[in-house]
Every structure is written in structure tokens, then in C-alpha cells.
Amino acid sequence: MRINLVRTEQIKELSAEFWGIINFENNIKGIYNFLNLSELGISLMTLSHWLVFPEDIAPDIRNMIRTKLLHRHAETTYYSDFIYPDMNEEEEEIHNKTIELIHFKMHAKHASLNRFYFIYKLPIKAFKNLLSRMLENGNLDNETSLQFYRKYSKMMERGEFDGRQ
């Protein structure tokens, strides 16, 4: 029981670190490079997923990432050397989608339905899975989830996208 509580607190702490770093300190490519994830065979897309859902990171990798990020300003490899590297178009899109998904996860209960862009461009199955995951994790309540789903459905009806992308 105590182990699960510690794990949950560490995941919350890591989630808050990710939110702060990607919103105020660095872009996703800089985080990726600083953590040297390519050496572990981890892709930028996987990091994007982990930034949104740190609970999905394997415990040993999660602990390594958490430790490195919490001590990033005391590292011998200077964190400042990895701040805001240039990104290509694909990396920029991954970065923007990641920021939106993190914001959705942390603030969807209180945010305007119009605040989001990328989530409404998701294929219907992915959109439903996202809402379901947010409900399971307590990031959304049923009413708010239905409001997002209604907006998504109306956008599909108006032909703003086909939902099968």
C-alpha cells in the first residue's frame, strides 16, 4: 500500500515537472536530447506519450528520467546546452500536440471547449480513447467528457474533418 502511494506521488511529481518544463523551460526535442533517450531506442513520439501519461513509463526508466530532471541544474552535462534546440516541422507538430494534450489532461475540467485544436483533429477512435483515459484517471468528469464529445461530433457533422484521419 505504501509503495503504491509513493509511486503515485512520484508520478504526480513527474507529471508536474513535465508540465513546467515543456511550458516554461524547453521544447520536446531539448528534453529528448537532455535525457539522451535515443540511446535507449526511445522515439520522440514515445516521449510525447510519456509527457502526457508518465504512469505508462516503465518504473526503471521513469526513475532515471525523474532523477535526471529533478537534478537537471546540478548535472555535469549542462542542461542549458539542451535548451530550445531548433526543430523541424514534424518535431514542432509533436511538440504542439504534446503541450495541448498536457493542458487538456491538467485543465480540461475548467477550460473552454474552444481552447483545444489538435484533440478535435484526432480520429474518432483515438478521441474516444483519450476521453475514456481521462475519465479513468479522474482528469475529466462525465459531464465535461460529454461536452467535449458533443463538440467533436458537431465538428464532424459540419464536415470540419472526417474523423477517420
Side-chain angles (χ1 to χ4, degrees), residues 145-160:
S145 177
L146 285 171
Q147 290 173 352
F148 279 103
Y149 186 75
R150 277 193 293 264
K151 175 156 178 75
Y152 180 89
S153 297
K154 285 179 183 176
M155 291 175 75
M156 268 193 355
E157 285 173 16
R158 289 191 304 254
E160 294 182 35

Side-chain angles (χ1 to χ4, degrees), residues 1 34 42 83 85 90 105 129 145:
M1 187 108 156
F34 174 69
I42 296 166
I83 300 290
E90 180 184 2
K105 178 182 179 183
N129 287 340
S145 177

Side-chain angles (χ1 to χ4, degrees), residues 117-157:
Y117 172 77
F118 292 112
I119 65 164
Y120 295 123
K121 301 295 182 189
L122 290 171
I124 189 137
K125 185 175 181 179
F127 185 77
K128 286 179 177 179
N129 287 340
L130 176 64
L131 291 181
S132 177
R133 178 92 186 249
M134 294 299 175
L135 277 166
E136 287 172 17
N137 291 347
N139 303 108
L140 278 179
D141 55 41
N142 286 328
E143 183 180 337
T144 307
S145 177
L146 285 171
Q147 290 173 352
F148 279 103
Y149 186 75
R150 277 193 293 264
K151 175 156 178 75
Y152 180 89
S153 297
K154 285 179 183 176
M155 291 175 75
M156 268 193 355
E157 285 173 16

Side-chain angles (χ1 to χ4, degrees), residues 25-44:
E25 283 185 26
N26 210 340
N27 60 33
I28 194 167
K29 185 175 180 180
I31 298 167
Y32 181 80
N33 292 341
F34 174 69
L35 295 173
N36 202 19
L37 295 176
S38 63
E39 217 173 79
L40 299 174
I42 296 166
S43 71
L44 193 64

Side-chain angles (χ1 to χ4, degrees), residues 7-24 31 48-57 62 65-66 69-70 98 101-107 134 137 139:
R7 179 183 173 267
T8 300
E9 288 304 312
Q10 288 178 345
I11 289 170
K12 283 182 182 177
E13 178 185 44
L14 188 56
S15 188
E17 277 299 308
F18 285 156
W19 179 86
I21 292 169
I22 202 157
N23 277 290
F24 302 110
I31 298 167
S48 172
H49 176 84
W50 288 352
L51 291 174
V52 180
F53 299 109
E55 61 273 16
D56 291 349
I57 307 172
R62 185 175 55 240
I65 289 172
R66 183 178 162 273
L69 289 178
L70 290 176
T98 303
L101 285 168
I102 290 172
H103 184 75
F104 184 70
K105 178 182 179 183
M106 308 228 6
H107 305 289
M134 294 299 175
N137 291 347
N139 303 108

